[in-house]
Amino acid sequence: MSIDWITVAAQIANFLVLIWLLKRFLYRPILDGIAAREAEIAARMGEAAEIRRESEARAAEHEAEIAKLRASRADILHEARQAAEAERAAVLAETRDMLARARVEREAERAEEARRFTAELNREGAEAILALARKAVTDLADETLERRIVAHAVAQLARSRDEVAAAAGDSSEAVVLTRDPLPEEATARLREGLAPILPGVTLRFEIDPTLSPGLSLRVGGAQVGWTVADYFDGLEALLEDRIGRPGGATKSDAA
Amino acid sequence: MQLSPDETVVFTLGGFSVNATIAGTWAIMVLLTGVSALITRNLRADVPPSRWRTALEVIVTVINGQIAEITQRRDSRVLYFAGTLFLFIITANLLTVVPGFEPPTASLSTTAALALSVLIAVPLFGIGSRGLGGYLKTYVEPSPIMLPFNIIGEVSRGVSLAIRLYGNIMSGAVIAAILLGVAPFFFPVVMDMLGLLTGVIQAYIFAILATVYIASATAEPPPSTTRKDAP
């Protein structure tokens, strides 16, 4: 039993080489593999834990939602029924309103149509009557109407002497307008009748074929007249007022 | 009867006589390296570990765990050193069952070389961990009077390691040889089995003691005066 120092040195060298070889081919690959696998396992565990947390959170949310839905199902049904009833009532009311409005509109249209028909009928009747009356009076005026108008005018001027005198002011002339020349008798009577009312005022007679049968007196800034058209205008205004047409003006100065 | 494989010259290489100790060591080196390289050649994270790879991982993990238990930390350099000691010794001791193979651990030169390696490695680990001053300071603790005793303790530690391993392996081989002459049928088998058990235990003890020495040299607190010793 002895120690061979050469062998000892060789064995030390062999041992150091073996350390390097095992480090290169055994420890490093195995430890690196284990570390990589542990890292992968840790990563997968982390992912699994994360997925599990998410799953649990979602499951809790779903359970809460289910419980909430179960709790509120009766309320939702009740609310839905109420909403349906309300909707039904609203639709019915709207339909009734629509029908009522349509009925009212129809009645109004019918009434308006009846009114228009009546008014048209009245108007046409009145115009026919007026035309007949105008024709009849015109036919009669050839003989007596101007005279009667003069007489009437004198009578009216006599009743409103003060207003006429005030309207005449300082005028020295009054113009008498007629459609046809007045008879001598009528002009004389007119001069005679107006002399006390408009003293110092001379009368001048003019013919205007466009005038309606009658007489028109213009003195100063005032004009008064008594023509047949004035009567018929008043009658038309009265008819229009009776049948509801707006704007029927009546001449206040008509007799 | 030859007591040491140093005396058996296997072949001559360039004028240098390669004895059985060195040849056996080379064989063990080739075996360990070859097996390791073969198993770990296709080591990828996406490839599921094979049975052999799992066996290697178990071995490395157990060794690493033992070292971590002793040193209270994971140091890959200690694993390389102590793990290689363990694997070399246990492989050598287990190969005694191979007929004609003379384990290099039965040579006092090998055990002395391993003990010298531990003796050199312990200060190196201590200096690497504490620095040169910090390591030398441990020799004068707890008192400068203890310096010669500490030096003697360091040397005797290596000597005891070498003698213990050599004695156990060599004696097992010698006893087996003697019993083979006396009772060639039954007792050698029993003694070989006993030798295997002893070899495994000795490999474990040698590596553990080396780790303990390294741990005591690299520990942050002052090294304990009571040291674990082998039976």
PDB file of all heavy atoms in Angstrom, chain A residues 2-19:
ATOM      1  N   SER A   2       0.900   1.918  -1.157  1.00  0.00           N
ATOM      2  CA  SER A   2       1.705   3.131  -1.242  1.00  0.00           C
ATOM      3  C   SER A   2       1.003   4.109  -2.177  1.00  0.00           C
ATOM      4  O   SER A   2       0.090   3.721  -2.921  1.00  0.00           O
ATOM      5  CB  SER A   2       3.108   2.816  -1.803  1.00  0.00           C
ATOM      6  OG  SER A   2       2.972   2.284  -3.105  1.00  0.00           O
ATOM      7  N   ILE A   3       1.440   5.335  -2.087  1.00  0.00           N
ATOM      8  CA  ILE A   3       0.831   6.369  -2.917  1.00  0.00           C
ATOM      9  C   ILE A   3       1.746   6.644  -4.090  1.00  0.00           C
ATOM     10  O   ILE A   3       2.922   6.949  -3.920  1.00  0.00           O
ATOM     11  CB  ILE A   3       0.588   7.652  -2.109  1.00  0.00           C
ATOM     12  CG1 ILE A   3      -0.433   7.391  -1.006  1.00  0.00           C
ATOM     13  CG2 ILE A   3       0.127   8.774  -3.016  1.00  0.00           C
ATOM     14  CD1 ILE A   3      -0.685   8.584  -0.120  1.00  0.00           C
ATOM     15  N   ASP A   4       1.164   6.499  -5.291  1.00  0.00           N
ATOM     16  CA  ASP A   4       1.903   6.841  -6.502  1.00  0.00           C
ATOM     17  C   ASP A   4       1.538   8.281  -6.849  1.00  0.00           C
ATOM     18  O   ASP A   4       0.420   8.574  -7.269  1.00  0.00           O
ATOM     19  CB  ASP A   4       1.487   5.883  -7.628  1.00  0.00           C
ATOM     20  CG  ASP A   4       2.226   6.182  -8.927  1.00  0.00           C
ATOM     21  OD1 ASP A   4       3.102   7.071  -8.899  1.00  0.00           O
ATOM     22  OD2 ASP A   4       1.879   5.575  -9.954  1.00  0.00           O
ATOM     23  N   TRP A   5       2.489   9.172  -6.654  1.00  0.00           N
ATOM     24  CA  TRP A   5       2.163  10.607  -6.780  1.00  0.00           C
ATOM     25  C   TRP A   5       1.877  10.999  -8.222  1.00  0.00           C
ATOM     26  O   TRP A   5       1.136  11.953  -8.464  1.00  0.00           O
ATOM     27  CB  TRP A   5       3.285  11.465  -6.187  1.00  0.00           C
ATOM     28  CG  TRP A   5       3.327  11.307  -4.688  1.00  0.00           C
ATOM     29  CD1 TRP A   5       4.235  10.617  -3.956  1.00  0.00           C
ATOM     30  CD2 TRP A   5       2.372  11.827  -3.769  1.00  0.00           C
ATOM     31  NE1 TRP A   5       3.927  10.656  -2.613  1.00  0.00           N
ATOM     32  CE2 TRP A   5       2.764  11.416  -2.477  1.00  0.00           C
ATOM     33  CE3 TRP A   5       1.214  12.592  -3.890  1.00  0.00           C
ATOM     34  CZ2 TRP A   5       2.067  11.743  -1.330  1.00  0.00           C
ATOM     35  CZ3 TRP A   5       0.540  12.920  -2.732  1.00  0.00           C
ATOM     36  CH2 TRP A   5       0.942  12.496  -1.484  1.00  0.00           C
ATOM     37  N   ILE A   6       2.459  10.243  -9.124  1.00  0.00           N
ATOM     38  CA  ILE A   6       2.109  10.526 -10.533  1.00  0.00           C
ATOM     39  C   ILE A   6       0.648  10.199 -10.769  1.00  0.00           C
ATOM     40  O   ILE A   6      -0.103  10.957 -11.400  1.00  0.00           O
ATOM     41  CB  ILE A   6       3.020   9.708 -11.467  1.00  0.00           C
ATOM     42  CG1 ILE A   6       4.465  10.189 -11.307  1.00  0.00           C
ATOM     43  CG2 ILE A   6       2.566   9.851 -12.922  1.00  0.00           C
ATOM     44  CD1 ILE A   6       5.461   9.351 -12.092  1.00  0.00           C
ATOM     45  N   THR A   7       0.248   9.068 -10.211  1.00  0.00           N
ATOM     46  CA  THR A   7      -1.167   8.695 -10.343  1.00  0.00           C
ATOM     47  C   THR A   7      -2.057   9.702  -9.623  1.00  0.00           C
ATOM     48  O   THR A   7      -3.150  10.054 -10.111  1.00  0.00           O
ATOM     49  CB  THR A   7      -1.391   7.284  -9.777  1.00  0.00           C
ATOM     50  OG1 THR A   7      -0.500   6.373 -10.423  1.00  0.00           O
ATOM     51  CG2 THR A   7      -2.813   6.832 -10.001  1.00  0.00           C
ATOM     52  N   VAL A   8      -1.584  10.165  -8.491  1.00  0.00           N
ATOM     53  CA  VAL A   8      -2.362  11.175  -7.760  1.00  0.00           C
ATOM     54  C   VAL A   8      -2.568  12.416  -8.633  1.00  0.00           C
ATOM     55  O   VAL A   8      -3.691  12.929  -8.771  1.00  0.00           O
ATOM     56  CB  VAL A   8      -1.655  11.540  -6.434  1.00  0.00           C
ATOM     57  CG1 VAL A   8      -2.324  12.758  -5.823  1.00  0.00           C
ATOM     58  CG2 VAL A   8      -1.689  10.382  -5.476  1.00  0.00           C
ATOM     59  N   ALA A   9      -1.476  12.884  -9.243  1.00  0.00           N
ATOM     60  CA  ALA A   9      -1.593  14.072 -10.094  1.00  0.00           C
ATOM     61  C   ALA A   9      -2.517  13.797 -11.274  1.00  0.00           C
ATOM     62  O   ALA A   9      -3.380  14.624 -11.640  1.00  0.00           O
ATOM     63  CB  ALA A   9      -0.207  14.486 -10.593  1.00  0.00           C
ATOM     64  N   ALA A  10      -2.358  12.610 -11.839  1.00  0.00           N
ATOM     65  CA  ALA A  10      -3.221  12.271 -12.971  1.00  0.00           C
ATOM     66  C   ALA A  10      -4.682  12.197 -12.538  1.00  0.00           C
ATOM     67  O   ALA A  10      -5.592  12.658 -13.264  1.00  0.00           O
ATOM     68  CB  ALA A  10      -2.785  10.934 -13.577  1.00  0.00           C
ATOM     69  N   GLN A  11      -4.915  11.650 -11.376  1.00  0.00           N
ATOM     70  CA  GLN A  11      -6.298  11.535 -10.901  1.00  0.00           C
ATOM     71  C   GLN A  11      -6.902  12.904 -10.604  1.00  0.00           C
ATOM     72  O   GLN A  11      -8.083  13.141 -10.860  1.00  0.00           O
ATOM     73  CB  GLN A  11      -6.358  10.649  -9.648  1.00  0.00           C
ATOM     74  CG  GLN A  11      -6.120   9.177  -9.928  1.00  0.00           C
ATOM     75  CD  GLN A  11      -7.204   8.565 -10.792  1.00  0.00           C
ATOM     76  OE1 GLN A  11      -7.248   8.803 -12.008  1.00  0.00           O
ATOM     77  NE2 GLN A  11      -8.085   7.784 -10.188  1.00  0.00           N
ATOM     78  N   ILE A  12      -6.056  13.808 -10.049  1.00  0.00           N
ATOM     79  CA  ILE A  12      -6.561  15.176  -9.818  1.00  0.00           C
ATOM     80  C   ILE A  12      -6.951  15.815 -11.148  1.00  0.00           C
ATOM     81  O   ILE A  12      -8.018  16.412 -11.299  1.00  0.00           O
ATOM     82  CB  ILE A  12      -5.498  16.026  -9.079  1.00  0.00           C
ATOM     83  CG1 ILE A  12      -5.361  15.526  -7.633  1.00  0.00           C
ATOM     84  CG2 ILE A  12      -5.904  17.504  -9.085  1.00  0.00           C
ATOM     85  CD1 ILE A  12      -4.244  16.207  -6.858  1.00  0.00           C
ATOM     86  N   ALA A  13      -6.063  15.628 -12.131  1.00  0.00           N
ATOM     87  CA  ALA A  13      -6.374  16.186 -13.451  1.00  0.00           C
ATOM     88  C   ALA A  13      -7.623  15.536 -14.029  1.00  0.00           C
ATOM     89  O   ALA A  13      -8.506  16.218 -14.586  1.00  0.00           O
ATOM     90  CB  ALA A  13      -5.186  15.985 -14.388  1.00  0.00           C
ATOM     91  N   ASN A  14      -7.688  14.189 -13.896  1.00  0.00           N
ATOM     92  CA  ASN A  14      -8.886  13.493 -14.377  1.00  0.00           C
ATOM     93  C   ASN A  14     -10.148  14.015 -13.694  1.00  0.00           C
ATOM     94  O   ASN A  14     -11.191  14.220 -14.329  1.00  0.00           O
ATOM     95  CB  ASN A  14      -8.763  11.989 -14.120  1.00  0.00           C
ATOM     96  CG  ASN A  14      -7.800  11.334 -15.084  1.00  0.00           C
ATOM     97  OD1 ASN A  14      -7.573  11.843 -16.185  1.00  0.00           O
ATOM     98  ND2 ASN A  14      -7.216  10.229 -14.675  1.00  0.00           N
ATOM     99  N   PHE A  15     -10.028  14.243 -12.392  1.00  0.00           N
ATOM    100  CA  PHE A  15     -11.200  14.706 -11.645  1.00  0.00           C
ATOM    101  C   PHE A  15     -11.637  16.097 -12.106  1.00  0.00           C
ATOM    102  O   PHE A  15     -12.830  16.374 -12.277  1.00  0.00           O
ATOM    103  CB  PHE A  15     -10.877  14.700 -10.150  1.00  0.00           C
ATOM    104  CG  PHE A  15     -12.038  15.117  -9.308  1.00  0.00           C
ATOM    105  CD1 PHE A  15     -13.198  14.350  -9.256  1.00  0.00           C
ATOM    106  CD2 PHE A  15     -11.994  16.296  -8.572  1.00  0.00           C
ATOM    107  CE1 PHE A  15     -14.271  14.746  -8.473  1.00  0.00           C
ATOM    108  CE2 PHE A  15     -13.053  16.688  -7.798  1.00  0.00           C
ATOM    109  CZ  PHE A  15     -14.208  15.922  -7.754  1.00  0.00           C
ATOM    110  N   LEU A  16     -10.652  16.965 -12.322  1.00  0.00           N
ATOM    111  CA  LEU A  16     -11.003  18.315 -12.797  1.00  0.00           C
ATOM    112  C   LEU A  16     -11.645  18.255 -14.187  1.00  0.00           C
ATOM    113  O   LEU A  16     -12.632  18.957 -14.461  1.00  0.00           O
ATOM    114  CB  LEU A  16      -9.753  19.200 -12.824  1.00  0.00           C
ATOM    115  CG  LEU A  16      -9.162  19.514 -11.448  1.00  0.00           C
ATOM    116  CD1 LEU A  16      -7.886  20.336 -11.596  1.00  0.00           C
ATOM    117  CD2 LEU A  16     -10.172  20.276 -10.586  1.00  0.00           C
ATOM    118  N   VAL A  17     -11.090  17.390 -15.040  1.00  0.00           N
ATOM    119  CA  VAL A  17     -11.687  17.233 -16.381  1.00  0.00           C
ATOM    120  C   VAL A  17     -13.108  16.683 -16.259  1.00  0.00           C
ATOM    121  O   VAL A  17     -14.039  17.124 -16.964  1.00  0.00           O
ATOM    122  CB  VAL A  17     -10.800  16.313 -17.251  1.00  0.00           C
ATOM    123  CG1 VAL A  17     -11.527  15.953 -18.549  1.00  0.00           C
ATOM    124  CG2 VAL A  17      -9.479  16.979 -17.558  1.00  0.00           C
ATOM    125  N   LEU A  18     -13.261  15.720 -15.343  1.00  0.00           N
ATOM    126  CA  LEU A  18     -14.601  15.139 -15.173  1.00  0.00           C
ATOM    127  C   LEU A  18     -15.602  16.204 -14.676  1.00  0.00           C
ATOM    128  O   LEU A  18     -16.757  16.232 -15.107  1.00  0.00           O
ATOM    129  CB  LEU A  18     -14.536  13.970 -14.186  1.00  0.00           C
ATOM    130  CG  LEU A  18     -15.862  13.236 -13.976  1.00  0.00           C
ATOM    131  CD1 LEU A  18     -16.356  12.630 -15.284  1.00  0.00           C
ATOM    132  CD2 LEU A  18     -15.713  12.143 -12.914  1.00  0.00           C
ATOM    133  N   ILE A  19     -15.118  17.072 -13.786  1.00  0.00           N
ATOM    134  CA  ILE A  19     -16.011  18.158 -13.318  1.00  0.00           C
ATOM    135  C   ILE A  19     -16.473  19.003 -14.510  1.00  0.00           C
ATOM    136  O   ILE A  19     -17.651  19.303 -14.675  1.00  0.00           O
ATOM    137  CB  ILE A  19     -15.277  19.048 -12.275  1.00  0.00           C
ATOM    138  CG1 ILE A  19     -15.122  18.288 -10.956  1.00  0.00           C
ATOM    139  CG2 ILE A  19     -16.059  20.342 -12.048  1.00  0.00           C
ATOM    140  CD1 ILE A  19     -14.326  19.053  -9.918  1.00  0.00           C
TER     141      ILE A  19
END
